[in-house]
Amino acid sequence: QVIKIKGERVLMYQGALNVGRGLELLVDTISLLDERYVLLLAGSGDIENNLKARTKNMKLDNRVIFLGKVPAEKLHFYTLAAHLGFSLEEDMGLNYRYALPNKLFDYIQAHVPVICSALPEIEKIVLHYKVGRCLSKEQLNANYLAAFINSLWANPEQLSEWKENCKIAAEELNWENEKLKLKQILKEFIN
């Protein structure tokens, strides 16, 4: 079951709507893209009201969809409807620099290519599995991001390749495999 979203090209962010997550950048970027693009924001947080006001001021109410907090089982169906997932955390300290957000794995499990910040741990996964693109700090601006997103639809082979790589990565990056590793680690401490 995939939830139908109005828009041919669905961009998605899931997680806390907090400072340093690249959310203002995503709203600014959608304003530079044509009406075929919609942005789903799943989550809530301390800048949610500011983002809603920004969206309203930019007349993007019909293209930026605030889903609020979504239960995990329902979130998966929204993620399946997305064409690109975003994880644009800013390097605001060690917590963000070495983060490995759940959303990254949610996107991969749903076979949704990822556009992310070039932070070390996220970059390792994205580059190793070739499931998307990591952007440098200089590339994290609305003009660059909008042009890059448009270029992906002009080059569907790249999106298709990343999507196929997500399928392969999803076979490896899952709880079934990780729990075996955890059991092995725990076994060493218990014995």
Side-chain angles (χ1 to χ4, degrees):
Q1 175 189 0
V2 176
I3 294 172
K4 286 301 268 178
I5 305 296
K6 185 179 178 186
E8 295 174 36
R9 301 171 179 184
V10 180
L11 312 179
M12 180 165 201
Y13 169 86
Q14 59 185 61
L17 305 184
N18 291 340
V19 172
R21 304 290 179 110
L23 299 167
E24 297 92 341
L25 169 60
L26 285 173
V27 171
D28 292 351
T29 299
I30 203 83
S31 75
L32 300 175
L33 296 167
D34 66 46
E35 295 75 30
R36 293 175 292 179
Y37 292 92
V38 296
L39 173 63
L40 302 182
L41 297 175
S44 64
D46 56 10
I47 65 168
E48 183 174 355
N49 290 334
N50 293 346
L51 288 171
K52 286 179 178 178
R54 184 186 202 108
T55 299
K56 186 177 178 103
N57 290 339
M58 297 172 84
K59 297 179 177 36
L60 294 171
D61 304 62
N62 60 336
R63 297 185 46 226
V64 178
I65 301 161
F66 289 86
L67 301 173
K69 289 185 180 179
V70 180
E73 59 279 357
K74 191 172 182 185
L75 179 61
H76 180 68
F77 296 115
Y78 282 110
T79 309
L80 287 171
H83 296 99
L84 282 174
F86 290 84
S87 185
L88 300 175
E89 285 76 13
E90 297 171 30
D91 190 355
M92 295 175 54
L94 296 177
N95 184 41
Y96 276 50
R97 185 173 309 137
Y98 295 107
L100 201 49
N102 287 339
K103 67 179 143 270
L104 176 63
F105 300 100
D106 290 346
Y107 298 147
I108 290 170
Q109 288 300 317
H111 310 148
V112 175
V114 182
I115 306 303
C116 64
S117 305
L119 297 175
E121 298 305 315
I122 298 170
E123 189 173 44
K124 279 182 198 173
I125 297 288
V126 172
L127 295 180
H128 176 77
Y129 291 98
K130 297 178 176 77
V131 293
R133 172 84 183 273
C134 301
L135 303 177
S136 69
K137 188 175 182 180
E138 297 73 35
Q139 294 169 325
L140 291 174
N141 67 73
N143 288 323
Y144 180 88
L145 191 54
F148 176 70
I149 290 167
N150 274 325
S151 77
L152 289 175
W153 265 271
N155 177 14
E157 298 80 24
Q158 180 63 78
L159 269 176
S160 194
E161 179 184 323
W162 286 342
K163 195 171 182 62
E164 286 304 310
N165 290 341
C166 282
K167 292 176 185 176
I168 295 165
E171 292 295 318
E172 211 173 298
L173 300 171
N174 59 59
W175 174 241
E176 288 72 24
N177 291 338
E178 293 303 311
K179 75 179 174 187
L180 297 175
K181 293 176 189 175
L182 181 60
K183 282 181 180 179
Q184 187 58 42
I185 291 168
L186 293 175
K187 189 184 281 186
E188 291 174 23
F189 282 107
I190 294 171
N191 292 338

